[in-house]
Amino acid sequence: MNRNGLLLLLFTSLGPVLWAQSPPSQAENKWEVSPFVGFGGAGDGSFATPVEEGTSQNVGLDLDQGFVLGLRITENRGRYFGAELEYSFTGQPLFFRDLSPTLPSLALDHTVHKLAYSLLVYGRERQERIRPFGSIGFGTSFFQVSNDSQDEAIRQGVDLKNRWKLAFSYGGGVKFRMAPRWGIRVDIRDQLTGVPDFGFPSQAPLLEGGETGPGFRAEGLLHNWQTTFGLVYHLR
């Protein structure tokens, strides 16, 4: 059974519980705390990187799918709006292809730390038990290579750097109230950033003996998608 089928089965089984609870008043549940888990990834891409001698080489970058853990703190404002602070980290294995003829591949342990502040727009009022919503916001992403991977890269002649990138965040989801103070939520978000260069030169250098060294020209935008499932605790 695929993920969509599992979600449909979950929501169907929870239906009687959702409709059995009495709705809260408009003044209640201004603040929410939501721990969440899920999965996320950014896919792969190919980047044309110039070489000092005037040619170019195509370098591949893969950001594989991995687990997501995080926390959201939400302030409900009025009937249809909210604001939310979100932190998450994603374990995303990182793989470079064709950095140079002497370094055809480089696999790294890598984590993306996400921080975003978003505006939420709900499709239904606060007292409703099922509330779909859209989100839009800004933040930052920190692309961190593990210390062990950095040490291994140095042994292969590459000095890697961690990078911060400003981010634009957008997405949507739905909240389901299970009890006056508890609920669940499902979110799909994209954290849009520039592509980090991880400390590689943007032009591949020529080494002694005429060999081409590793280089990587990081251009364009990176879509880092997350699908998460969270609990919601309503503060009074």
Side-chain angles (χ1 to χ4, degrees):
M1 184 180 294
N2 59 30
R3 292 191 183 96
N4 292 334
L6 289 173
L7 286 175
L8 179 61
L9 178 62
L10 174 63
F11 299 155
T12 302
S13 64
L14 291 175
V17 179
L18 291 170
W19 272 272
Q21 306 296 329
S22 59
S25 69
Q26 192 63 246
E28 291 180 312
N29 303 321
K30 181 177 181 181
W31 292 93
E32 301 172 4
V33 177
S34 177
F36 60 88
V37 299
F39 52 90
D44 54 25
S46 182
F47 300 83
T49 300
V51 181
E52 281 187 353
E53 63 185 8
T55 60
S56 67
Q57 57 191 23
N58 289 322
V59 178
L61 172 63
D62 300 340
L63 281 163
D64 291 338
Q65 192 173 101
F67 70 91
V68 177
L69 294 174
L71 180 71
R72 297 184 178 104
I73 300 174
T74 308
E75 180 186 9
N76 291 305
R77 298 179 173 180
R79 297 163 62 188
Y80 294 102
F81 295 97
E84 188 165 78
L85 180 65
E86 173 188 350
Y87 167 75
S88 70
F89 69 91
T90 307
Q92 287 185 346
L94 184 66
F95 185 76
F96 283 99
R97 293 174 280 107
D98 302 321
L99 284 164
S100 73
T102 58
L103 191 59
S105 64
L106 182 63
L108 304 167
D109 291 329
H110 168 255
T111 302
V112 180
H113 297 261
K114 169 186 175 182
L115 186 66
Y117 186 79
S118 301
L119 171 68
L120 304 184
V121 181
Y122 293 97
R124 305 182 74 181
E125 295 187 9
R126 194 191 307 180
Q127 65 267 29
E128 299 291 340
R129 297 185 181 92
I130 301 177
R131 300 187 74 196
F133 60 89
S135 72
I136 186 171
F138 293 90
T140 185
S141 288
F142 181 56
F143 298 85
Q144 183 179 30
V145 179
S146 72
N147 291 334
D148 289 343
S149 289
Q150 290 195 44
D151 292 341
E152 178 60 30
I154 287 176
R155 286 192 285 270
Q156 299 187 55
V158 177
D159 186 12
L160 296 177
K161 305 293 183 183
N162 300 322
R163 291 296 192 229
W164 289 94
K165 288 289 182 179
L166 293 177
F168 171 70
S169 179
Y170 65 95
V174 61
K175 296 180 181 180
F176 301 85
R177 185 179 300 280
M178 308 292 293
R181 297 185 69 175
W182 290 95
I184 60 175
R185 63 185 288 175
V186 180
D187 290 76
I188 299 176
R189 302 283 178 94
D190 181 20
Q191 186 89 331
L192 183 63
T193 70
V195 179
D197 62 17
F198 295 101
F200 284 104
S202 60
Q203 184 179 50
L206 288 179
L207 306 178
E208 293 183 5
E211 294 183 340
T212 301
F216 173 62
R217 173 165 286 185
E219 293 183 323
L221 298 174
L222 185 68
H223 292 267
N224 212 318
W225 288 96
Q226 294 182 349
T227 301
T228 61
F229 309 87
L231 294 175
V232 179
Y233 180 68
H234 301 271
L235 303 175
R236 292 189 183 276

